[in-house]
Amino acid sequence: MNYWIVLLVSLLACSVGFHMYIWFFSVGYGLAIAAIAAVLAVGFYGTMGLPEWICVALLVIYGLRLSGYLLIREMKSAAYRTVLNPEMERSKKMPLPAKAALWVTCGVLYTLMTIPLYYRLKNGAAPDAALWIGLVVMALGIMMEIVADAQKSAAKKKNSRRFVDTGLYRLVRCPNYLGELLIWLGMLVTGFTALRGFWQWALALLGFVLIAWVMFSGTRRLELRQDKNYGSDPEYQKYVRTVPIIIPFVPLYSVKKYKFLVA
């Protein structure tokens, strides 16, 4: 299978962002990952073994769950709609060429993120320890995202005005972003013994580095928003001084000063 087909599928799936530009990074993101996994399954159907099918299934589950969760949140959460309304207005005013640039950028990014699986299938690499280890890391990341979202929803139902510091939020302040990093680290690991030559490695590493930058950028935006909402709360101040922001057991408690994370 030619990778241009994968890119085309990614672009088609994330084109929902033309409705509202932030969907390029949210709903369209999940749809693109699920669609890429599906087209890889079709293209390499005859050569895939059990671990490759598990990898495809994990990506489909991840992508559809993410898109569905975000859509449901938009429909049911009044607080989230309050945040979303200004983005909708901004999207209406955004020039079409700017939206098109975002569309292409996201489509390319999502193909780069999944390229280790593509090259494992394209190169005919046999299942090995790297593949299984990567799958375990991916599954752990997906479970962390699911649990973190559920814990946050439960906490907000009890007290919508308080920050969340229970469950996984005792480990890090952004466990869903940590889960995201684990998913794509796992994807990269699946390609460790399958990637061939400089360019395959360069593209795979570029995909991981870019999504890691996106996650840290999102972490920075969330930190600034939470500082604005809860900054005067002494309990929140103690929380941010004692719980790492995204990487567990690493004393990194803030990223807001890092301007290179601005997206």
Side-chain angles (χ1 to χ4, degrees):
M1 172 183 283
N2 191 298
Y3 210 69
W4 288 108
I5 297 175
V6 182
L7 175 58
L8 177 60
V9 168
S10 176
L11 288 169
L12 287 173
C14 66
S15 64
V16 295
F18 283 103
H19 168 67
M20 181 165 53
Y21 82 93
I22 63 169
W23 279 15
F24 286 131
F25 320 112
S26 57
V27 176
Y29 172 25
L31 291 177
I33 297 302
I36 288 171
V39 77
L40 289 178
V42 171
F44 294 100
Y45 178 82
T47 60
M48 287 174 57
L50 176 61
E52 288 87 0
W53 280 108
I54 293 174
C55 189
V56 164
L58 287 174
L59 290 176
V60 171
I61 291 169
Y62 162 78
L64 295 182
R65 188 208 76 87
L66 176 63
S67 295
Y69 172 79
L70 293 172
L71 283 172
I72 291 171
R73 184 174 67 173
E74 287 184 19
M75 291 187 292
K76 291 189 174 182
S77 174
Y80 187 73
R81 285 198 300 273
T82 300
V83 175
L84 201 62
N85 286 338
E87 299 294 344
M88 177 66 86
E89 292 303 316
R90 193 174 294 118
S91 182
K92 291 178 181 178
K93 297 176 182 178
M94 180 178 286
L96 183 59
K99 284 187 178 181
L102 285 176
W103 173 53
V104 173
T105 299
C106 289
V108 171
L109 172 59
Y110 305 149
T111 61
L112 289 175
M113 289 159 53
T114 55
I115 215 165
L117 176 59
Y118 170 77
Y119 279 126
R120 172 167 283 280
L121 296 170
K122 182 76 172 179
N123 295 338
D128 53 21
L131 176 54
W132 285 107
I133 292 170
L135 292 177
V136 171
V137 175
M138 288 176 66
L140 178 61
I142 292 171
M143 287 303 301
M144 179 170 283
E145 283 198 348
I146 292 172
V147 172
D149 287 340
Q151 289 175 341
K152 184 174 182 179
S153 295
K156 287 297 184 180
K157 284 181 180 179
K158 290 182 179 179
N159 187 350
S160 62
R161 296 184 179 182
R162 191 181 190 280
F163 63 95
V164 181
D165 61 348
T166 55
L168 290 174
Y169 291 83
R170 293 181 181 273
L171 178 67
V172 292
R173 305 205 312 271
C174 299
N176 50 342
Y177 290 158
L178 172 60
E180 193 84 13
L181 289 174
L182 287 175
I183 292 166
W184 299 112
L185 175 61
M187 171 57 65
L188 180 62
V189 171
T190 66
F192 275 4
T193 53
L195 297 169
R196 303 285 183 265
F198 172 80
W199 284 111
Q200 291 187 15
W201 272 101
L203 291 173
L205 290 171
L206 178 61
F208 178 72
V209 169
L210 287 175
I211 191 57
W213 178 81
V214 170
M215 289 301 105
F216 273 89
S217 178
T219 298
R220 181 180 182 274
R221 288 195 302 273
L222 180 61
E223 181 183 6
L224 291 171
R225 188 163 67 247
Q226 289 186 334
D227 282 355
K228 181 180 179 180
N229 293 336
Y230 312 116
S232 59
D233 185 340
E235 290 188 8
Y236 173 75
Q237 291 298 332
K238 180 181 178 181
Y239 176 60
V240 300
R241 289 195 306 269
T242 55
V243 177
I245 191 163
I246 189 171
I247 306 297
F249 315 117
V250 174
L252 176 65
Y253 300 103
S254 174
V255 294
K256 60 186 178 184
K257 66 180 179 180
Y258 300 120
K259 299 295 180 66
F260 69 89
L261 294 175
V262 175

